[in-house]
C-alpha cells in the first residue's frame, strides 16, 4: 500500500497514519494483533518523507501500550518488541514531531516505565524499558528548558521514580542528565 501511495505522490507517513486510524476505529487495542500491528506500522515509519505528524499512529501506539499493560504472557514478547521499535522511532523522529510523539504516548510509556506490577523481569526491563527512557530523556534535552516543559512531560519523567522497587540506576542517571 505504501509503495502504491508513493506512486501517486502520497507520502508513506500519511498512509501509515490513515491505516492506524482505520484500525483504531475497528479494532480492540487489547488484542495480541494490536501490539503486532502497532509494532509493524511504527517499524515502517520513514520520517524523511513526512509532511505532517502521524498523530493517529501515535494515538494507536499509546492506546496499545495502555491496554496491554500488564501484558498477558502471550503478549509479553510482542510488547517488548513494540517498546524497542518505539525507541528506534524516537531516534529517527524529527524535532517538530518528537514533542507530539512524547505528549501523545506518555500515558502508555509511563505505565511501562513505572511497571507497577513488575510485569517484566529485571533483565527484560533493563533491555527494553531502560533504553527507551534514556532515549526520551536524551531527546528532551533539546526541548526548551522550562517549568512548562517539565509539567507537560511530567507523567513520563516521574514514572522512573514510581512503581517497581528494583529499578536500574540508569533511570536516575538519565533523569539527572536532563536535570543538569
Amino acid at each position: 500500500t505504501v509503495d502504491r501511495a508513493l506512486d501517486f505522490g502520497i507520502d508513506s507517513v500519511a498512509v501509515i497514519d490513515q491505516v492506524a486510524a482505520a484500525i483504531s476505529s475497528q479494532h480492540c487495542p487489547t488484542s495480541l494483533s494490536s501490539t503486532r500491528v502497532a509494532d509493524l506500522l511504527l517499524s515502517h515509519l520513514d520520517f524523511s518523507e513526512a509532511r505532517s505528524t502521524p498523530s493517529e499512529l501515535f494515538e494507536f501506539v499509546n492506546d496499545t501500550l495502555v491496554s496491554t499493560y500488564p501484558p498477558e504472557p502471550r503478549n509479553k514478547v510482542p510488547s517488548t518488541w513494540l517498546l524497542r521499535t518505539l525507541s528506534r522511532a524516537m531516534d529517527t523522529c524529527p524535532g517538530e514531531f518528537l514533542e507530539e510523539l512524547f505528549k501523545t504516548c506518555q500515558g502508555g510509556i509511563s505505565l511501562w516505565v513505572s511497571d507497577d506490577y513488575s510485569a517484566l523481569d529485571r533483565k527484560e526491563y533493563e533491555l527494553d524499558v531502560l533504553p527507551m527512557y534514556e532515549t526520551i530523556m536524551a531527546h528532551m534535552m533539546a526541548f526548551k528548558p522550562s517549568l512548562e516543559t517539565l509539567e507537560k512531560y511530567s507523567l513520563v519523567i516521574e514514572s522512573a521514580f514510581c512503581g517497581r522497587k528494583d529499578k536500574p540506576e540508569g533511570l536516575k542517571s538519565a533523569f539527572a542528565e536532563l536535570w543538569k
Side-chain angles (χ1 to χ4, degrees), residues 4-52:
R4 180 82 183 214
L6 290 172
D7 290 342
F8 290 98
I10 301 170
D11 70 272
S12 64
V13 174
V15 172
I16 291 171
D17 198 41
Q18 290 174 1
V19 170
I23 293 170
S24 291
S25 69
Q26 303 289 323
H27 198 64
C28 174
T30 60
S31 72
L32 177 62
S33 60
S34 287
T35 306
R36 290 180 177 161
V37 169
D39 180 49
L40 184 63
L41 291 174
L42 267 179
S43 68
H44 282 84
L45 204 56
D46 181 2
F47 284 110
S48 66
E49 302 171 357
R51 296 183 194 132
S52 61

Side-chain angles (χ1 to χ4, degrees), residues 69-136:
Y69 183 84
E72 296 176 23
R74 65 187 178 93
N75 203 19
K76 195 173 189 181
V77 171
S79 293
T80 58
W81 292 342
L82 176 57
L83 295 174
R84 289 177 193 170
T85 303
L86 181 57
S87 293
R88 284 191 301 274
M90 289 175 197
D91 280 336
T92 62
C93 187
E96 64 266 20
F97 302 145
L98 199 55
E99 288 191 50
E100 183 69 26
L101 172 62
F102 289 164
K103 187 176 82 174
T104 304
C105 293
Q106 75 172 328
I109 291 169
S110 65
L111 284 174
W112 287 87
V113 173
S114 64
D115 194 17
D116 288 331
Y117 296 103
S118 297
L120 303 173
D121 66 36
R122 186 165 174 82
K123 186 176 180 180
E124 290 168 328
Y125 192 89
E126 288 176 353
L127 286 172
D128 299 312
V129 177
L130 174 60
M132 180 178 60
Y133 188 80
E134 289 172 332
T135 298
I136 293 168

